[in-house]
Amino acid sequence: MAPEPDSNPIKEDEDDDNVAPSHHPSAPSDELFSISTTVDPSYIISLIRKLLPRDVKNDHDSDGVDACNASNQGLKTNHMKESVVSPCEDEMLNSSHDKIETMDTLDGFDELARQEKTGEVSCSRFEDSSISVREKAWEEYGCILWDLAASRIHAEFMVQNLMLEVLLASLIVSQSTRVTEISLGILGNLVCHEIPMKQIASTDKLIEIVVDQLFLDDTPCLCEACRLLTLGLQGSECVIWAKALQSEHNLCRVIWVAENTLNPQLLEKSIGLLLAILESQQEVVSILLPTLMNLGLSSLLINLLTFEMSKLASERIPERYSILDLILRTIEALSVLDDYSQDICSNKEVFRLVSDLVRLPDKVEVANSCITAAVLIANILIDAADLASEISQDLPFLEGLLDIFPFASDDPEARSALWSIMARLLVQVQESEISSSSLQQYVSVLVSKSDLIEDDLLDHQLDDSNENNVSSITSAAKQNARTTAVSCYVE
């Protein structure tokens, strides 16, 4: 969600400074629109027009395009402007092309000169203190549209009125990271709706330009770029997004960002992007995953899990809980892919780390991560059944496993995974030679947690009967694991 604007957007339209340039057509009357909204449609159009980049002019001797012909020209460009300059430098560069626009910022330069003489600004004023009035206005209008794009009705109306063409032009010519961030944020909200999603996918060069934003060195921009790519890969046009992202150059950048960022939000967004790839359609997985694996995806995930577990052991930081869960979910998603599961299931370090998480005494704050860890362990034991013997007599593990049952009460897959692990452990105990004292301790743990076991068996009988009607094969597998565990438990 974009930040709240400082002023009333409706009143802003009444200011003389906001009158559209003469070469822009006036916004049509709201009487011409039939959309159901509390926001005046002509006001939305006026906001879109105010986002037109300054480089978009009627002459064609620059990298910009004719504003009046934006939709027909496709807003093509031969290169991305990678360098980032300050707003003041942007004003000076444009002043030689348009003397009228220079007048808008002349007072701003005079004020900066006065502040410099009085020592009120530092030598870095071009980077921090000299944001132009025009850029501030752009930010305000852009944030309003960012919020409005969350509504399906508004989003569809925007794409019908050249919103995508304007955003594409802004991404191409903008030298402001804030403008880029807002543009990506608007697109991120638009892509949540089916019709705008299809329009974005069919807009020439737009997705490619979005992918290029991964190479910026600005954290907010990278967060929005990862969020937008994640949403694109989760939608109906995911294959188009995957093809735009598929080069080794692009995927290497995604891996690099996830591996090197120290910002928790960016780490969460980059891991979320990797998870979206693994959970997308099979064609997307086929396009992107081989390259990612060659670039060291499995090693990256294991290293990230190791780091997050070390942080969890030393101190509890709530903002990192969601990161830990995302990493586990991504590893779990990789563990069920036939051609790549061995990279995870054969790695004993992964098994040790997730087992440590299950043993954790206080699970309330990281309950979701513990559930994911249990599902991952169940997947690993399918491919590496011998590992069950290593934990079959591990009483803290058994106790921790049973403690997860209440957290998984609404998750049939997790409950099935828990029962699958229990069945393997109890079968190992039955088949192995165990001392009477160890057996007594084992039974003591089971008895102390018997309420949890009974509650799960009683509370979900109805679920099992419903599953029988939906998928007899899946339900039978779940019941077999549960029956095996219970029979061993009774014996």
Side-chain angles (χ1 to χ4, degrees), residues 81-283:
K81 298 182 178 178
E82 296 179 350
S83 60
V84 178
V85 299
S86 70
C88 239
E89 290 172 322
D90 184 49
E91 296 288 351
M92 290 189 291
L93 288 171
N94 284 294
S95 64
S96 61
H97 296 289
D98 197 328
K99 294 182 180 180
I100 295 177
E101 290 178 348
T102 304
M103 296 300 294
D104 294 336
T105 57
L106 188 56
D107 292 339
F109 279 95
D110 290 342
E111 177 64 14
L112 282 172
R114 182 194 68 76
Q115 289 178 345
E116 182 181 18
K117 289 180 181 179
T118 58
E120 294 176 14
V121 295
S122 67
C123 62
S124 62
R125 65 190 183 281
F126 284 99
E127 296 178 3
D128 302 322
S129 305
S130 61
I131 300 176
S132 68
V133 173
R134 187 181 185 91
E135 184 175 342
K136 287 181 179 179
W138 197 105
E139 177 179 341
E140 181 176 341
Y141 304 140
C143 286
I144 295 171
L145 287 168
W146 192 345
D147 287 335
L148 290 174
S151 162
R152 179 186 60 81
I153 293 175
H154 296 147
E156 292 177 0
F157 182 76
M158 288 179 195
V159 299
Q160 291 169 6
N161 289 275
L162 303 184
M163 181 80 263
L164 299 182
E165 288 78 4
V166 171
L167 292 175
L168 176 56
S170 295
L171 289 171
I172 290 173
V173 305
S174 173
Q175 296 175 329
S176 163
T177 54
R178 180 59 174 154
V179 168
T180 299
E181 177 197 356
I182 294 171
S183 298
L184 293 171
I186 296 172
L187 285 169
N189 281 358
L190 291 175
V191 81
C192 293
H193 312 288
E194 187 65 25
I195 293 177
M197 178 194 299
K198 293 183 179 297
Q199 288 290 104
I200 289 172
S202 63
T203 300
D204 189 34
K205 302 299 182 184
L206 179 54
I207 296 179
E208 288 78 4
I209 294 298
V210 168
V211 171
D212 287 340
Q213 309 314 303
L214 288 172
F215 294 89
L216 294 175
D217 291 324
D218 179 77
T219 296
C221 288
L222 287 172
C223 285
E224 290 304 322
C226 288
R227 170 179 173 259
L228 177 52
L229 289 168
T230 298
L231 292 168
L233 290 168
Q234 292 172 339
S236 59
E237 306 298 318
C238 56
V239 174
I240 296 176
W241 289 82
K243 290 180 178 178
L245 187 61
Q246 69 179 335
S247 76
E248 182 175 329
H249 181 58
N250 293 333
L251 295 176
C252 185
R253 175 64 175 178
V254 174
I255 294 287
W256 187 92
V257 169
E259 186 175 25
N260 290 279
T261 182
L262 299 178
N263 182 279
Q265 184 182 9
L266 179 54
L267 177 58
E268 185 173 350
K269 297 295 184 184
S270 57
I271 296 299
L273 174 56
L274 294 171
L275 177 60
I277 292 172
L278 296 176
E279 291 184 340
S280 189
Q281 296 179 12
Q282 181 58 46
E283 187 174 355

Side-chain angles (χ1 to χ4, degrees), residues 332 358 370-382 391 397 401 404-405 408 411-425 456 474 477-479 481-482 485:
E332 190 269 326
V358 169
C370 291
I371 292 172
T372 308
V375 175
L376 179 54
I377 290 173
N379 292 344
I380 291 174
L381 291 178
I382 292 174
I391 55 174
F397 179 86
L401 191 69
I404 297 176
F405 271 101
D411 189 338
E413 180 187 3
R415 294 204 324 274
S416 175
L418 289 168
W419 281 110
S420 174
I421 299 170
M422 285 287 297
R424 291 179 183 277
L425 296 184
D456 188 81
T474 303
K478 293 179 180 179
Q479 289 182 1
R482 192 171 305 171

Side-chain angles (χ1 to χ4, degrees), residues 360-377:
L360 202 66
D362 184 8
K363 296 182 173 64
V364 175
E365 294 178 312
V366 289
N368 289 336
S369 295
C370 291
I371 292 172
T372 308
V375 175
L376 179 54
I377 290 173

Side-chain angles (χ1 to χ4, degrees), residues 5-20:
D6 295 332
S7 58
N8 188 330
I10 304 299
K11 291 183 179 179
E12 290 288 346
D13 260 1
E14 300 173 0
D15 296 340
D16 292 337
D17 293 339
N18 293 331
V19 175

Side-chain angles (χ1 to χ4, degrees), residues 431-446:
E431 295 177 351
S432 62
E433 296 181 1
I434 184 171
S435 65
S436 58
S437 61
S438 297
L439 185 59
Q440 287 178 349
Q441 291 178 335
Y442 210 94
V443 171
S444 177
V445 171
L446 291 173

